[in-house]
Amino acid sequence: MTPELARSISQFRGLRREIVLGRSAGLGRRPRIGFVPTMGALHEGHASLLAQMREDCDVRIASIFVNPLQFAAGEDLDRYPRTLEADLELCAAQGVELVLAPEPAEMYPAGFQTRVQLPGLAQRWCGASRPGHFDGVATVVLKLFELVQPDLAYLGRKDYQQLRIIQQMAADLSLQTEVIGCPIVREADGLALSSRNSYLSEDERAAAPQLSRALEEMRAHFLSGEKDSARLIADGLHKLSWTEGGNPRWQVDYLAIVDPLSLEPVATASEGDVLLAAAWLGRTRLIDNMELGA
Ligand code: PAF
């Protein structure tokens, strides 16, 4: 069934209330509310989050909002893919009942000024190359959590730093929402699914799986006994320094081995640490990560 579509906050509140009351009456208890926040251009990675929500929750809500607050000037806000109709079909196929897809002016009316900041987790890695990005993410996610009031919220582990920031925010602010990180979904050749993969030219698409292969090799090297982070990172950088045609194409933003909670770099890698990577392929910035371990 096609989900209800709310384009305004007041419409969303009304629809949410109706659905939750109806479900409470049917179940004879308070329903468990699930939420998947997205920026649309949905793909199989999002489908896996929606499928998990469908399994766990009595009421299933998603948002589709390309959040201007998390894009810096000169980034891809204008060309970010917008595919509302196809997104609603995918939501329908995964049993989503209510979609909030507001206009920017609805979320950020004139005079809006609040920002949520996590000075520790948000400054490094993607936060260093995209100043203000995670303030925009945390602000919109807190606002969405307040509107949806979910028991469970599902986010992809592909955006590992984002996941950690939202989990930390939920813990710090004692939110009622449990934030669940779902596994990365990959193409058959290893490329992590991302709405931004649609920017890649044919040549770039062919080269793109090298990022996950570099991480795989680092993990294999770790499993065969190498624990020195600097040597593991040097391996990964070497792998990204050439392409099959011999033309260097990658511009590595960062490649790091970090503690899974603090995201601080570790000198000696151990099981459970996370390989984090961001690199440019032409005009497209790709990110990926992998947990160290079997
Ligand atoms: O990962 C995303 O799509 C966005 O950063 C999110 C969490 C929906 C906030 O705009």
Side-chain angles (χ1 to χ4, degrees):
M1 223 175 67
T2 314
E4 298 278 4
L5 176 62
R7 303 306 302 241
S8 73
I9 288 174
S10 62
Q11 194 190 4
F12 176 80
R13 286 198 165 116
L15 288 166
R16 179 196 175 281
R17 195 176 314 116
E18 252 173 54
I19 294 173
V20 171
L21 282 177
R23 201 58 39 81
S24 301
L27 292 168
R29 62 168 167 80
R30 189 184 156 280
R32 181 182 253 201
I33 301 173
F35 178 48
V36 175
T38 82
M39 296 208 301
L42 303 184
H43 49 64
E44 285 307 307
H46 297 107
S48 73
L49 308 179
L50 298 172
Q52 189 60 53
M53 169 166 75
R54 183 181 212 171
E55 215 171 292
D56 299 342
C57 299
D58 305 310
V59 171
R60 300 170 294 271
I61 301 176
S63 63
I64 296 175
F65 179 59
V66 183
N67 172 33
L69 221 57
Q70 67 189 75
F71 289 79
E75 288 191 340
D76 57 342
L77 174 62
D78 292 337
R79 70 179 184 130
Y80 197 87
R82 285 154 171 94
T83 58
L84 185 61
E85 274 191 24
D87 294 346
L88 291 175
E89 277 173 31
L90 191 141
C91 285
Q94 295 299 339
V96 175
E97 294 156 278
L98 176 55
V99 172
L100 171 62
E103 292 298 328
E106 182 72 18
M107 291 294 274
Y108 305 122
F112 184 96
Q113 50 181 292
T114 301
R115 291 290 182 284
V116 179
Q117 296 185 322
L118 289 86
L121 280 174
Q123 299 308 319
R124 286 185 179 279
W125 316 124
C126 285
S129 351
R130 304 184 66 191
H133 168 66
F134 288 122
D135 299 355
V137 170
T139 303
V140 79
V141 170
L142 182 59
K143 181 157 177 151
L144 290 167
F145 280 8
E146 174 54 29
L147 291 169
V148 176
Q149 295 178 32
D151 297 292
L152 299 169
Y154 300 83
L155 286 129
R157 288 178 68 95
K158 201 211 81 187
D159 297 278
Y160 188 80
Q161 187 174 10
Q162 167 174 281
L163 171 66
R164 275 297 305 126
I165 284 169
I166 295 172
Q167 286 175 331
Q168 188 67 46
M169 174 182 78
D172 289 350
L173 301 180
S174 308
L175 302 184
Q176 63 154 17
T177 305
E178 185 184 342
V179 179
I180 298 178
C182 297
I184 299 178
V185 179
R186 297 181 181 279
E187 301 278 8
D189 60 11
L191 176 65
L193 294 195
S194 162
S195 306
R196 290 191 166 97
N197 290 350
S198 64
Y199 299 160
L200 298 169
S201 69
E202 213 175 299
D203 283 357
E204 288 164 353
R205 173 63 191 83
Q210 256 186 320
L211 188 57
S212 63
R213 278 188 221 129
L215 299 183
E216 277 293 3
E217 281 190 19
M218 290 169 73
R219 179 161 68 174
H221 201 174
F222 168 80
L223 288 173
S224 64
E226 180 61 80
K227 304 288 185 255
D228 183 77
S229 291
R231 276 200 290 270
L232 290 166
I233 291 168
D235 276 359
L237 291 174
H238 178 69
K239 175 83 187 162
L240 291 173
S241 66
W242 55 274
T243 60
E244 266 108 67
N247 302 317
R249 294 173 198 248
W250 290 98
Q251 280 242 34
V252 177
D253 185 350
Y254 62 80
L255 180 58
I257 306 179
V258 303
D259 174 87
L261 293 181
S262 69
L263 305 188
E264 294 288 332
V266 295
T268 305
S270 49
E271 182 115 6
D273 288 343
V274 178
L275 306 173
L276 279 187
W280 289 89
L281 199 49
R283 289 178 61 214
T284 307
R285 187 172 179 278
L286 298 177
I287 60 173
D288 203 343
N289 68 83
M290 226 167 257
E291 190 179 321
L292 285 178

mmCIF file of all heavy atoms in Angstrom, residues 196-218:
data_model
loop_
_atom_site.group_PDB
_atom_site.id
_atom_site.type_symbol
_atom_site.label_atom_id
_atom_site.label_comp_id
_atom_site.label_asym_id
_atom_site.label_seq_id
_atom_site.Cartn_x
_atom_site.Cartn_y
_atom_site.Cartn_z
ATOM 1 N N ARG A 196 25.194 8.695 -4.045
ATOM 2 C CA ARG A 196 26.169 9.469 -4.833
ATOM 3 C C ARG A 196 26.883 8.619 -5.886
ATOM 4 O O ARG A 196 27.584 9.167 -6.741
ATOM 5 C CB ARG A 196 27.181 10.129 -3.901
ATOM 6 C CG ARG A 196 26.578 11.260 -3.085
ATOM 7 C CD ARG A 196 27.631 12.085 -2.356
ATOM 8 N NE ARG A 196 27.099 13.330 -1.843
ATOM 9 C CZ ARG A 196 26.670 13.518 -0.586
ATOM 10 N NH1 ARG A 196 26.738 12.537 0.290
ATOM 11 N NH2 ARG A 196 26.200 14.689 -0.201
ATOM 12 N N ASN A 197 26.721 7.294 -5.838
ATOM 13 C CA ASN A 197 27.358 6.469 -6.884
ATOM 14 C C ASN A 197 26.816 6.842 -8.260
ATOM 15 O O ASN A 197 27.484 6.624 -9.274
ATOM 16 C CB ASN A 197 27.115 4.980 -6.634
ATOM 17 C CG ASN A 197 27.874 4.468 -5.414
ATOM 18 O OD1 ASN A 197 28.713 5.186 -4.871
ATOM 19 N ND2 ASN A 197 27.572 3.260 -4.976
ATOM 20 N N SER A 198 25.615 7.445 -8.307
ATOM 21 C CA SER A 198 25.027 7.816 -9.601
ATOM 22 C C SER A 198 25.826 8.934 -10.274
ATOM 23 O O SER A 198 25.664 9.199 -11.455
ATOM 24 C CB SER A 198 23.570 8.246 -9.431
ATOM 25 O OG SER A 198 23.515 9.419 -8.642
ATOM 26 N N TYR A 199 26.710 9.614 -9.529
ATOM 27 C CA TYR A 199 27.536 10.668 -10.131
ATOM 28 C C TYR A 199 28.699 10.098 -10.943
ATOM 29 O O TYR A 199 29.329 10.806 -11.721
ATOM 30 C CB TYR A 199 28.184 11.555 -9.047
ATOM 31 C CG TYR A 199 27.254 12.312 -8.143
ATOM 32 C CD1 TYR A 199 27.710 12.787 -6.918
ATOM 33 C CD2 TYR A 199 25.935 12.589 -8.493
ATOM 34 C CE1 TYR A 199 26.888 13.516 -6.059
ATOM 35 C CE2 TYR A 199 25.104 13.308 -7.638
ATOM 36 C CZ TYR A 199 25.586 13.758 -6.430
ATOM 37 O OH TYR A 199 24.772 14.466 -5.587
ATOM 38 N N LEU A 200 29.039 8.820 -10.709
ATOM 39 C CA LEU A 200 30.275 8.270 -11.295
ATOM 40 C C LEU A 200 30.122 8.056 -12.802
ATOM 41 O O LEU A 200 29.104 7.545 -13.261
ATOM 42 C CB LEU A 200 30.613 6.927 -10.629
ATOM 43 C CG LEU A 200 30.908 6.968 -9.123
ATOM 44 C CD1 LEU A 200 30.966 5.543 -8.550
ATOM 45 C CD2 LEU A 200 32.219 7.703 -8.860
ATOM 46 N N SER A 201 31.163 8.433 -13.555
ATOM 47 C CA SER A 201 31.194 8.112 -14.990
ATOM 48 C C SER A 201 31.441 6.606 -15.117
ATOM 49 O O SER A 201 31.768 5.934 -14.119
ATOM 50 C CB SER A 201 32.333 8.872 -15.666
ATOM 51 O OG SER A 201 33.565 8.334 -15.218
ATOM 52 N N GLU A 202 31.338 6.095 -16.334
ATOM 53 C CA GLU A 202 31.545 4.652 -16.535
ATOM 54 C C GLU A 202 32.942 4.221 -16.068
ATOM 55 O O GLU A 202 33.096 3.210 -15.374
ATOM 56 C CB GLU A 202 31.384 4.351 -18.023
ATOM 57 C CG GLU A 202 30.794 3.005 -18.320
ATOM 58 C CD GLU A 202 30.551 2.834 -19.806
ATOM 59 O OE1 GLU A 202 29.770 3.627 -20.370
ATOM 60 O OE2 GLU A 202 31.187 1.930 -20.390
ATOM 61 N N ASP A 203 33.942 5.020 -16.420
ATOM 62 C CA ASP A 203 35.324 4.693 -16.018
ATOM 63 C C ASP A 203 35.493 4.741 -14.504
ATOM 64 O O ASP A 203 36.147 3.895 -13.892
ATOM 65 C CB ASP A 203 36.311 5.698 -16.605
ATOM 66 C CG ASP A 203 36.565 5.415 -18.061
ATOM 67 O OD1 ASP A 203 36.017 4.403 -18.566
ATOM 68 O OD2 ASP A 203 37.287 6.214 -18.688
ATOM 69 N N GLU A 204 34.900 5.773 -13.922
ATOM 70 C CA GLU A 204 35.024 5.915 -12.464
ATOM 71 C C GLU A 204 34.300 4.768 -11.751
ATOM 72 O O GLU A 204 34.794 4.235 -10.762
ATOM 73 C CB GLU A 204 34.430 7.259 -12.012
ATOM 74 C CG GLU A 204 35.294 8.439 -12.407
ATOM 75 C CD GLU A 204 34.568 9.778 -12.331
ATOM 76 O OE1 GLU A 204 33.345 9.793 -12.087
ATOM 77 O OE2 GLU A 204 35.238 10.805 -12.546
ATOM 78 N N ARG A 205 33.144 4.391 -12.300
ATOM 79 C CA ARG A 205 32.393 3.286 -11.695
ATOM 80 C C ARG A 205 33.238 2.011 -11.721
ATOM 81 O O ARG A 205 33.228 1.212 -10.769
ATOM 82 C CB ARG A 205 31.051 3.090 -12.429
ATOM 83 C CG ARG A 205 30.256 1.868 -11.986
ATOM 84 C CD ARG A 205 29.832 1.968 -10.529
ATOM 85 N NE ARG A 205 29.293 0.723 -10.013
ATOM 86 C CZ ARG A 205 30.010 -0.286 -9.552
ATOM 87 N NH1 ARG A 205 31.345 -0.225 -9.527
ATOM 88 N NH2 ARG A 205 29.423 -1.370 -9.091
ATOM 89 N N ALA A 206 33.975 1.830 -12.836
ATOM 90 C CA ALA A 206 34.814 0.625 -12.955
ATOM 91 C C ALA A 206 35.940 0.652 -11.919
ATOM 92 O O ALA A 206 36.347 -0.386 -11.385
ATOM 93 C CB ALA A 206 35.372 0.518 -14.369
ATOM 94 N N ALA A 207 36.442 1.850 -11.616
ATOM 95 C CA ALA A 207 37.559 1.960 -10.662
ATOM 96 C C ALA A 207 37.079 1.972 -9.204
ATOM 97 O O ALA A 207 37.852 1.665 -8.288
ATOM 98 C CB ALA A 207 38.355 3.240 -10.942
ATOM 99 N N ALA A 208 35.805 2.313 -8.983
ATOM 100 C CA ALA A 208 35.310 2.580 -7.624
ATOM 101 C C ALA A 208 35.491 1.424 -6.632
ATOM 102 O O ALA A 208 35.779 1.671 -5.455
ATOM 103 C CB ALA A 208 33.846 3.018 -7.680
ATOM 104 N N PRO A 209 35.343 0.150 -7.045
ATOM 105 C CA PRO A 209 35.487 -0.934 -6.063
ATOM 106 C C PRO A 209 36.885 -1.042 -5.460
ATOM 107 O O PRO A 209 37.086 -1.753 -4.479
ATOM 108 C CB PRO A 209 35.163 -2.202 -6.870
ATOM 109 C CG PRO A 209 34.444 -1.729 -8.075
ATOM 110 C CD PRO A 209 34.931 -0.349 -8.358
ATOM 111 N N GLN A 210 37.841 -0.312 -6.045
ATOM 112 C CA GLN A 210 39.190 -0.349 -5.466
ATOM 113 C C GLN A 210 39.215 0.122 -4.017
ATOM 114 O O GLN A 210 40.062 -0.305 -3.237
ATOM 115 C CB GLN A 210 40.109 0.559 -6.271
ATOM 116 C CG GLN A 210 41.033 -0.225 -7.170
ATOM 117 C CD GLN A 210 41.999 0.692 -7.834
ATOM 118 O OE1 GLN A 210 41.626 1.787 -8.246
ATOM 119 N NE2 GLN A 210 43.222 0.254 -7.944
ATOM 120 N N LEU A 211 38.275 0.996 -3.676
ATOM 121 C CA LEU A 211 38.258 1.497 -2.294
ATOM 122 C C LEU A 211 37.948 0.358 -1.321
ATOM 123 O O LEU A 211 38.661 0.162 -0.336
ATOM 124 C CB LEU A 211 37.217 2.620 -2.171
ATOM 125 C CG LEU A 211 37.186 3.379 -0.857
ATOM 126 C CD1 LEU A 211 38.537 4.006 -0.531
ATOM 127 C CD2 LEU A 211 36.103 4.470 -0.892
ATOM 128 N N SER A 212 36.907 -0.414 -1.634
ATOM 129 C CA SER A 212 36.579 -1.521 -0.707
ATOM 130 C C SER A 212 37.650 -2.607 -0.781
ATOM 131 O O SER A 212 37.959 -3.251 0.227
ATOM 132 C CB SER A 212 35.193 -2.089 -0.992
ATOM 133 O OG SER A 212 35.139 -2.646 -2.264
ATOM 134 N N ARG A 213 38.256 -2.775 -1.983
ATOM 135 C CA ARG A 213 39.335 -3.791 -2.081
ATOM 136 C C ARG A 213 40.523 -3.385 -1.222
ATOM 137 O O ARG A 213 41.169 -4.231 -0.592
ATOM 138 C CB ARG A 213 39.776 -3.956 -3.538
ATOM 139 C CG ARG A 213 38.849 -4.884 -4.284
ATOM 140 C CD ARG A 213 39.376 -5.203 -5.673
ATOM 141 N NE ARG A 213 38.270 -5.200 -6.602
ATOM 142 C CZ ARG A 213 38.199 -4.547 -7.740
ATOM 143 N NH1 ARG A 213 39.233 -3.824 -8.169
ATOM 144 N NH2 ARG A 213 37.135 -4.617 -8.494
ATOM 145 N N ALA A 214 40.828 -2.095 -1.199
ATOM 146 C CA ALA A 214 41.953 -1.633 -0.362
ATOM 147 C C ALA A 214 41.659 -1.963 1.102
ATOM 148 O O ALA A 214 42.533 -2.456 1.836
ATOM 149 C CB ALA A 214 42.165 -0.134 -0.551
ATOM 150 N N LEU A 215 40.418 -1.732 1.525
ATOM 151 C CA LEU A 215 40.049 -2.026 2.917
ATOM 152 C C LEU A 215 40.098 -3.528 3.183
ATOM 153 O O LEU A 215 40.582 -3.980 4.231
ATOM 154 C CB LEU A 215 38.658 -1.468 3.241
ATOM 155 C CG LEU A 215 38.484 0.048 3.123
ATOM 156 C CD1 LEU A 215 37.072 0.461 3.552
ATOM 157 C CD2 LEU A 215 39.504 0.799 3.966
ATOM 158 N N GLU A 216 39.612 -4.311 2.203
ATOM 159 C CA GLU A 216 39.646 -5.779 2.341
ATOM 160 C C GLU A 216 41.081 -6.253 2.517
ATOM 161 O O GLU A 216 41.374 -7.111 3.341
ATOM 162 C CB GLU A 216 39.074 -6.463 1.088
ATOM 163 C CG GLU A 216 37.572 -6.578 1.045
ATOM 164 C CD GLU A 216 36.993 -7.512 2.104
ATOM 165 O OE1 GLU A 216 37.749 -8.053 2.924
ATOM 166 O OE2 GLU A 216 35.754 -7.641 2.127
ATOM 167 N N GLU A 217 41.992 -5.685 1.704
ATOM 168 C CA GLU A 217 43.402 -6.104 1.802
ATOM 169 C C GLU A 217 44.000 -5.724 3.136
ATOM 170 O O GLU A 217 44.774 -6.474 3.732
ATOM 171 C CB GLU A 217 44.212 -5.500 0.652
ATOM 172 C CG GLU A 217 43.981 -6.280 -0.614
ATOM 173 C CD GLU A 217 44.920 -5.890 -1.736
ATOM 174 O OE1 GLU A 217 45.984 -5.290 -1.477
ATOM 175 O OE2 GLU A 217 44.559 -6.195 -2.891
ATOM 176 N N MET A 218 43.643 -4.556 3.616
ATOM 177 C CA MET A 218 44.142 -4.142 4.936
ATOM 178 C C MET A 218 43.632 -5.113 6.001
ATOM 179 O O MET A 218 44.366 -5.525 6.893
ATOM 180 C CB MET A 218 43.677 -2.718 5.261
ATOM 181 C CG MET A 218 44.346 -1.650 4.419
ATOM 182 S SD MET A 218 43.561 -0.029 4.603
ATOM 183 C CE MET A 218 44.088 0.458 6.242
#
